[in-house]
Amino acid sequence: MNNMRSNRPAKRVAASALVVAFSLADAQAQTTPSHSAPSPTTSAQPAADTLSARQQAIIPIAAVAAAGDIERLGVALNQGLDAGLSINDAKEILVQLYAYAGFPRSLNALGELMKVLDNRRQRGIQDTPGREPSRAIPQGDALRAAGTANQTRLSGAPVQGPLFDFAPAADEYLKTHLFGDIFERDNLDWQSRELATVGMLSALPGVEPQLRSHMRISLNVGLSAGQLHQVGQVLSDRVGAEAAQRARDALAQQLAAAKNG
């Protein structure tokens, strides 16, 4: 594996290390400033201060699925489908869930989605299937290159550091699988994926460093501070006070860090 050390001047910032199935701990990463263009799957329009009904619906689905609350997930899925989520939107969110809450909760959540869809069909509701990915996912070295590029664009700079030197397999899995296999699937835009991630991490105690990192990434992909404040309100109204407070604290800390430069 290539050593990720750089000879260019760099500063330490919190790595965008994500909570994967093996409970990857937060790390301090070496980054070099990047000015990459926005992802083509991220809205190029100026960010508004409010989330659409569809965007709001993503947050409770992700949060209650991460918490393993299947009963409330059924309600959230019905509300999300009514708000304009397609079947494939919901599937993508619940597949992505495994990277943050593990395969058992992801599989249980997908099983609940199947039940919800079957029930809706029996009631005569025809949900929109939604898009499939528009391109084949690369393989081998091309997958690692694509994943590394995605990770850099999401984080705002290359991600590297002592944790990844200590556990290079974690670095490989993040780049090739999470940022490669998952984030190369362009049928769910990056803003939606980040709203899902923030919802998931807000529901999980003990992953506050990763939640702060994803508040930063959410801003990087074009969500506004106003929209992220609204995430806290959605969590308060539809998930719970503790999840809402974690989201609000993480956003406040990220905005303060950005202001202090």
Side-chain angles (χ1 to χ4, degrees), residues 183-261:
F183 274 81
E184 277 293 287
R185 293 176 63 83
D186 62 358
N187 56 334
L188 190 66
D189 64 89
W190 282 4
Q191 288 187 3
S192 296
R193 289 196 183 278
E194 282 306 308
L195 288 171
T197 301
V198 166
M200 294 168 195
L201 295 177
S202 295
L204 298 172
V207 295
E208 287 80 5
Q210 287 79 15
L211 180 55
R212 288 195 296 273
S213 291
H214 280 278
M215 287 297 184
R216 173 170 53 82
I217 292 172
S218 294
L219 293 166
N220 287 348
V221 299
L223 291 165
S224 70
Q227 288 172 315
L228 293 174
H229 279 296
Q230 192 179 1
V231 169
Q233 188 59 53
V234 172
L235 287 168
S236 178
D237 293 343
R238 299 176 60 181
V239 178
E242 292 184 3
Q245 193 60 52
R246 279 191 284 269
R248 288 167 175 153
D249 289 346
L251 178 59
Q253 290 163 10
Q254 174 53 41
L255 293 176
K259 183 178 180 179
N260 294 331

Side-chain angles (χ1 to χ4, degrees), residues 114-134:
M114 292 173 66
K115 293 177 184 177
V116 166
L117 293 172
D118 184 60
N119 180 268
R120 289 170 70 88
R121 281 192 294 268
Q122 291 179 24
R123 291 187 286 132
I125 301 173
Q126 298 297 319
D127 292 300
T128 303
R131 297 189 302 117
E132 297 288 345
S134 67

Side-chain angles (χ1 to χ4, degrees), residues 16 146-157 159 171 174-175 179:
S16 60
T148 300
N150 289 342
Q151 184 188 45
T152 300
R153 293 168 80 174
L154 285 158
S155 300
V159 174
D171 187 45
L174 285 166
K175 286 178 167 60
F179 293 110

Side-chain angles (χ1 to χ4, degrees), residues 75-88:
V75 174
L77 286 167
N78 272 294
Q79 292 174 338
L81 292 164
D82 289 342
L85 288 176
S86 71
I87 295 172
N88 281 341

